[in-house]
Amino acid sequence: MTRLAVLRSAPPTAWFGLLVLTVVALLALFAPFAAPYGEREVVAGPFEVWSESHWLGTDNLGRDMLSRLIWGARNTIGMALLTTMIAFVVGAATGLLAGTVGGWADRLLAWIVDVIMAMPSLILALLLISIFGASTAMLIGIIAAIEATRVFRLSRAVAMNITVMEYLDAARLRGESLPSILWREVLPNASAPLVAEFGLRFCFVFLFVSSLSFLGLGIQPPTADWGSMVRDNATLITYGDVTPLLPAAAIALVTVSVNLVVDWVLHRSSGLKD
Amino acid sequence: MSGGLARMIAVRIGLGALTLLLISGLIFGAMGLLPGDVAEAILGQNRTPETVAALRTQLGLDQPAWSRYLDWIGGMLTGDFGKSLASGRPVADLIGGRLVNTLSLAAYAALISVPLSIALGILAALYRGRLADRGISIGALTAISMPDFFVAYVMIFLFAVTWGLLPSLAAVTPDAGLGEWLYRATLPALALTLATSAHMLRMTRASIVNVLASPYVEMAKLKGLTPSRVVVRHALPNALAPIINVVAVNLAFLIVGVVVVETVFVYPGLGQLLVDSVAARDVPVVQAACLIFAAAYVSLNLLADILAILTNPRLRTAR
């Protein structure tokens, strides 16, 4: 099937997901052009209602809500994506290596990861933030380290399933080097579950970052971010204004969309028989 | 046979205790990961050699790490959690009442969410592929994808602001009666319920659908039993082990959800204390709260393991 035919065969739910993600990605990429006002620009009085000049009103400091929503897409999604990638590169590399090589180093790593995973990730993150502080670089490092343990566990299991295959015995007997075995034998066969895991892991990281920001411990002001936008404007809800719910709804929308696309990818990679 | 069972459970409990010990080491040792030391990091730009030295003594940093760890863990076991850096009050005083609040909120949420999600899961399995099932499944998937605070604020918007049924702030006081407490804690409990039910519901549905595919269920159907009898009498008992397991695991998720929900509703619980202490970088309070949360989490997972062994005879003979 050509790429176009693959896309055409996608169910409406996957189409919806792809459409939403494309629009959000474009808005995030071109935030400086798409947003009517600047990210930190105070343009009016605080908590103004929806109007011609400010479609979604203004926030607690008089900044344009719509603009901050668009800038927030760039910051929140960008940070979640970067964190997921780091977690993935570190977790998948060590996991695949440990699962392929085995031995005491593998056991030790798996055991350490088990201990770390025995703690709820939010609690561990809060502990580390209280020690290291909540600068953006620290946050990315902390969340990436925590999520990398989850990726490690999955990629190790996947690699262990592959190492018992005959083509791997053949590769070893041919005298292929370890990097070559990893790159040419293990990685291609591990790619399907890893791609799906990337999508799900992104959702976790995205919700994680947003929750931390909402708690005031994530992305720090004045940077626009969907989680802290909810926190800053929450008082409006008690006056019956839905505006503070919009960033939260945006978080839910992006997560649902990624889930829908991942479902489709999983279904395609596992259900090609039907 | 029962001796083997008891030994198996004892081994699990021992492993759980070992895990907890390692976690306590992790919580304590994390402080040592910082380049320099915690005293300098906490005081930040405004530090002077004198304040750093004073804080070091207060934190016990002038003693070797292993002896500090033994002091700390010994104190934890005897209820002496040290002193808060921010207020100077004993951590035990700060935690005491809040722990009770958090536990009662979690119990309240569990009382609603466990029966609800199992009932809906059975319903979805019963009407598999039909409209009711689709609706329930899509609802569950949506609930999983939403951040906890979104669920909580939507509920505040609907129940507190639009309909005016329940208060939006759950500032319970210790001397309030049960009725008052229920009135104030219902909305947070409902928010927690929504945040945790989806997983339980999906697992219940999946395990019952799984059992429904087995030959003895087909036999029961061929005997002409009603669908509800097939599900409740034949499928449910065999699906019970995974369901009990997922219930216990999800109660452990409550612990994470509680941190966010307490912040939204300004509920005076341990989660809110943890968040405030992290913001203030009050390390002793954070460590104590983290250890309590981790202990609850590990115990619930341990409970899930043990219940799985007890309800599934096949697990008893393995290994």
Side-chain angles (χ1 to χ4, degrees):
Chain A
M1 275 205 280
T2 64
R3 282 178 187 213
L4 204 69
V6 170
L7 267 185
R8 215 172 272 153
S9 73
T13 49
W15 266 108
F16 172 78
L18 284 171
L19 188 71
V20 169
L21 292 181
T22 313
V23 170
V24 173
L26 285 176
L27 281 178
L29 274 175
F30 298 105
F33 310 103
Y37 300 94
E39 181 184 6
R40 297 161 192 197
E41 199 181 339
V42 176
V43 289
F47 293 138
E48 279 190 17
V49 293
W50 297 10
S51 65
E52 286 277 303
S53 50
H54 304 288
W55 288 2
L56 299 179
T58 57
D59 73 356
N60 57 331
L61 297 178
R63 296 169 296 194
D64 184 57
M65 266 306 244
L66 178 64
S67 306
R68 283 188 64 83
L69 210 53
I70 293 171
W71 283 100
R74 188 188 178 96
N75 299 330
T76 318
I77 297 177
M79 183 174 156
L81 206 57
L82 180 65
T83 311
T84 317
M85 282 184 201
I86 297 173
F88 225 78
V89 170
V90 175
T94 46
L96 291 179
L97 185 66
T100 310
V101 178
W104 64 268
D106 166 53
R107 297 253 183 81
L108 182 71
L109 270 177
W111 183 75
I112 293 173
V113 163
D114 275 353
V115 171
I116 294 176
M117 282 183 66
M119 220 175 143
S121 48
L122 181 65
I123 303 297
L124 184 56
L126 290 179
L127 173 75
L128 293 176
I129 289 171
S130 78
I131 293 169
F132 293 106
S135 68
T136 307
M138 275 299 174
L139 272 179
I140 292 177
I142 288 171
I143 300 173
I146 292 173
E147 293 297 323
T149 58
R150 270 73 177 167
V151 181
F152 171 87
R153 181 119 115 180
L154 179 95
S155 12
R156 176 172 176 261
V158 170
M160 284 170 84
N161 282 335
I162 295 174
T163 44
V164 294
M165 294 289 175
E166 277 156 1
Y167 57 78
L168 221 82
D169 285 338
R172 287 203 190 96
L173 289 174
R174 261 202 313 273
E176 271 188 44
S177 64
L178 182 61
S180 161
I181 286 181
L182 278 175
W183 189 253
R184 296 190 42 189
E185 316 291 341
V186 178
L187 194 60
N189 288 294
S191 62
L194 285 187
V195 166
E197 170 74 1
F198 186 85
L200 296 178
R201 213 28 70 192
F202 171 77
C203 288
F204 273 110
V205 171
F206 186 56
L207 287 177
F208 204 167
V209 171
S210 312
S211 296
L212 285 176
S213 300
F214 170 74
L215 294 175
L217 304 168
I219 300 175
Q220 296 298 319
T223 307
D225 155 83
W226 288 350
S228 48
M229 282 172 75
V230 179
R231 171 192 177 84
D232 291 343
N233 303 300
T235 39
L236 274 186
I237 295 175
T238 39
Y239 299 104
D241 189 335
V242 293
T243 315
L245 292 177
L246 293 176
I251 295 168
L253 188 65
V254 167
T255 322
V256 171
S257 303
V258 174
N259 266 320
L260 290 176
V261 175
V262 168
D263 270 357
W264 173 55
V265 171
L266 268 181
H267 188 76
R268 258 184 59 76
S269 65
S270 67
L272 281 178
K273 295 143 239 147
D274 62 23
Chain B
M1 200 57 231
S2 73
L5 186 62
R7 203 175 62 225
M8 215 162 164
I9 292 175
V11 167
R12 292 291 160 116
I13 293 176
L15 281 175
L18 183 66
T19 310
L20 207 52
L21 193 68
L22 290 169
I23 287 178
S24 76
L26 185 73
I27 291 176
F28 186 82
M31 253 203 334
L33 291 174
L34 201 64
D37 82 30
V38 193
E40 286 176 20
I42 291 171
L43 293 171
Q45 299 291 324
N46 306 321
R47 62 172 183 251
T48 63
E50 291 82 41
T51 54
V52 170
L55 190 58
R56 267 198 197 127
T57 321
Q58 195 185 344
L59 288 171
L61 290 179
D62 42 2
Q63 285 155 30
W66 60 267
S67 100
R68 272 185 289 135
Y69 173 69
L70 287 183
D71 277 354
W72 180 72
I73 196 76
M76 286 285 158
L77 290 174
T78 53
D80 171 19
F81 296 121
K83 280 207 174 83
S84 155
L85 290 183
S87 65
R89 291 173 57 198
V91 178
D93 287 3
L94 292 172
I95 285 177
R98 286 171 176 267
L99 181 59
V100 175
N101 281 347
T102 293
L103 288 179
S104 33
L105 178 61
Y108 189 10
L111 276 180
I112 306 175
S113 72
V114 173
L116 181 77
S117 46
I118 291 182
L120 283 178
I122 293 176
L123 208 66
L126 206 57
Y127 296 100
R128 183 161 36 121
R130 286 198 250 156
L131 200 62
D133 175 34
R134 294 253 180 86
I136 292 173
S137 296
I138 290 177
L141 186 67
T142 320
I144 287 179
S145 310
M146 287 196 280
D148 298 343
F149 55 86
F150 180 52
V151 175
Y153 277 124
V154 168
M155 296 189 102
I156 288 185
F157 185 74
L158 292 180
F159 289 96
V161 180
T162 311
W163 299 326
L165 294 173
L166 294 161
S168 63
L169 293 183
V172 293
T173 44
D175 46 325
L178 183 67
E180 174 75 8
W181 186 84
L182 282 177
Y183 174 64
R184 294 202 169 271
T186 296
L187 213 44
L190 282 178
L192 269 179
T193 300
L194 256 179
T196 50
S197 295
H199 278 287
M200 282 192 265
L201 189 160
R202 277 160 69 100
M203 278 302 293
T204 307
R205 179 186 178 278
S207 37
I208 288 186
V209 164
N210 201 16
V211 174
L212 282 179
S214 54
Y216 64 84
V217 169
E218 193 167 6
M219 182 65 208
K221 274 189 209 147
L222 290 177
K223 280 197 298 190
L225 300 183
T226 59
S228 61
R229 194 174 162 80
V230 171
V231 167
V232 175
R233 296 277 305 176
H234 293 253
L236 192 58
N238 278 295
L240 214 51
I243 293 175
I244 290 177
N245 194 34
V246 79
V247 165
V249 169
N250 273 284
L251 292 186
F253 275 125
L254 266 181
I255 291 167
V256 182
V258 100
V259 175
V260 172
V261 169
E262 279 179 8
T263 308
V264 172
F265 290 95
V266 201
Y267 182 85
L270 198 55
Q272 202 200 30
L273 176 72
L274 177 58
V275 172
D276 291 347
S277 306
V278 170
R281 302 187 72 173
D282 193 342
V283 176
V285 182
V286 173
Q287 283 179 328
C290 283
L291 191 63
I292 291 174
F293 276 121
Y297 190 75
V298 170
S299 321
L300 283 166
N301 278 312
L302 182 68
L303 188 70
D305 257 12
I306 292 175
L307 286 176
I309 295 174
L310 286 178
T311 48
N312 190 349
R314 269 163 294 189
L315 286 179
R316 285 181 215 165
T317 46
R319 279 183 293 158

